[in-house]
Amino acid sequence: MAILIGDTAPDFTLESTEGTIHFHDFIEGSWAVLFSHPKNYTPVCTTELGYTAKLKDEFAKRGVKVLGLSVDKIEDHAGWAKDIEETQGSALNFPLLADTQGEVARKYDMIHPNADNTLTVRSLFVIGPDKKVKLKIEYPASTGRNFDEILRVIDSLQLTAKHQVATPVNWKNGEDVIIVPAVSNEAAKDKFPGGWKEVKPYLRIVPQPQG
């Protein structure tokens, strides 16, 4: 069964470059990003892991823990980590799982037989503190992921989880947002005392809530 947005992220216990990971314990109280790589020493993934390492502070200030996954053995990760640091200018600073038996890959539907029977596709999951899947994206092998977009989506997910708003097309943190239709105008007066711009009755624009 495919993992859908809103599903509980499957739990697992697996070895990583930073020791044994009990996934639900690893998440506890935090947001998490779990993303898979087809294989060690692949060029696109090398660039992705290096860039993700550079974003450590950005993930940390959002309370997000990052976890990578490869089907290769744990002892093979060290050599790849050296290549990543050498070529990308940033050392691996988050756990990389060794899913040699494909346990996590199967639980998260990361193996597509039409692509390859053994290698994981480029799947990415954002998981909330409630251990529910909030976002899933899959990329083809030829296309590197946009981690600036992942950060943007996490900003939106965290904002909309706290306030009754939605974010419009191409929204970035700090820009205006939309009051969700479930909030009546009467209720909106209390929630947004500064008022809003009503483009249409169903499209009410308001400055991004703070806090």
Side-chain angles (χ1 to χ4, degrees):
M1 293 291 289
I3 303 297
L4 303 177
I5 291 175
D7 288 349
T8 297
D11 196 14
F12 59 82
T13 300
L14 206 61
E15 293 305 310
S16 82
T17 50
E18 296 186 13
T20 304
I21 297 288
H22 304 281
F23 190 49
H24 280 190
D25 292 341
F26 177 80
I27 293 174
E28 195 61 40
S30 302
W31 290 72
V33 169
L34 171 65
F35 65 116
S36 60
H37 306 92
K39 193 174 176 59
N40 289 4
Y41 300 103
T42 50
V44 175
C45 295
T46 299
T47 65
E48 290 180 334
L49 287 170
Y51 190 74
T52 303
K54 291 175 183 176
L55 294 176
K56 181 177 182 178
D57 291 344
E58 292 297 322
F59 283 114
K61 75 182 184 182
R62 293 165 171 83
V64 178
K65 295 179 179 179
V66 177
L67 190 57
L69 177 145
S70 173
V71 297
D72 287 297
K73 297 176 182 178
I74 198 79
E75 54 265 31
D76 294 337
H77 288 349
W80 191 27
K82 290 179 182 178
D83 284 0
I84 291 165
E85 182 174 9
E86 178 187 340
T87 63
Q88 306 304 307
S90 188
L92 200 66
N93 51 28
F94 55 89
L96 185 59
L97 295 165
D99 189 26
T100 56
Q101 302 302 312
E103 173 196 351
V104 178
R106 287 190 297 273
K107 284 185 176 182
Y108 281 82
D109 198 31
M110 292 174 172
I111 295 177
H112 292 185
N114 288 339
D116 192 292
N117 283 323
T118 57
L119 302 183
T120 52
V121 296
R122 276 203 191 90
S123 299
L124 184 143
F125 298 85
V126 175
I127 298 156
D130 58 359
K131 302 179 178 68
K132 303 285 187 184
V133 174
K134 308 299 182 182
L135 172 78
K136 59 175 291 190
I137 307 177
E138 291 181 349
Y139 290 76
S142 58
T143 303
R145 282 168 279 217
N146 184 336
F147 279 86
D148 295 330
E149 166 66 1
I150 304 306
L151 289 175
R152 187 191 76 88
V153 174
I154 290 170
D155 285 339
S156 174
L157 288 168
Q158 294 183 339
L159 177 70
T160 57
K162 190 171 183 180
H163 303 280
Q164 289 183 295
V165 295
T167 55
V169 62
N170 295 335
W171 173 88
K172 294 184 180 68
N173 194 17
E175 296 179 349
D176 289 351
V177 296
I178 297 167
I179 303 172
V180 297
V183 177
S184 68
N185 281 345
E186 284 303 310
K189 289 176 184 177
D190 293 329
K191 289 182 172 295
F192 309 102
W196 60 86
K197 177 183 177 182
E198 185 172 297
V199 181
K200 292 286 184 181
Y202 59 86
L203 182 55
R204 295 166 295 173
I205 308 298
V206 67
Q208 176 179 319
Q210 301 301 311

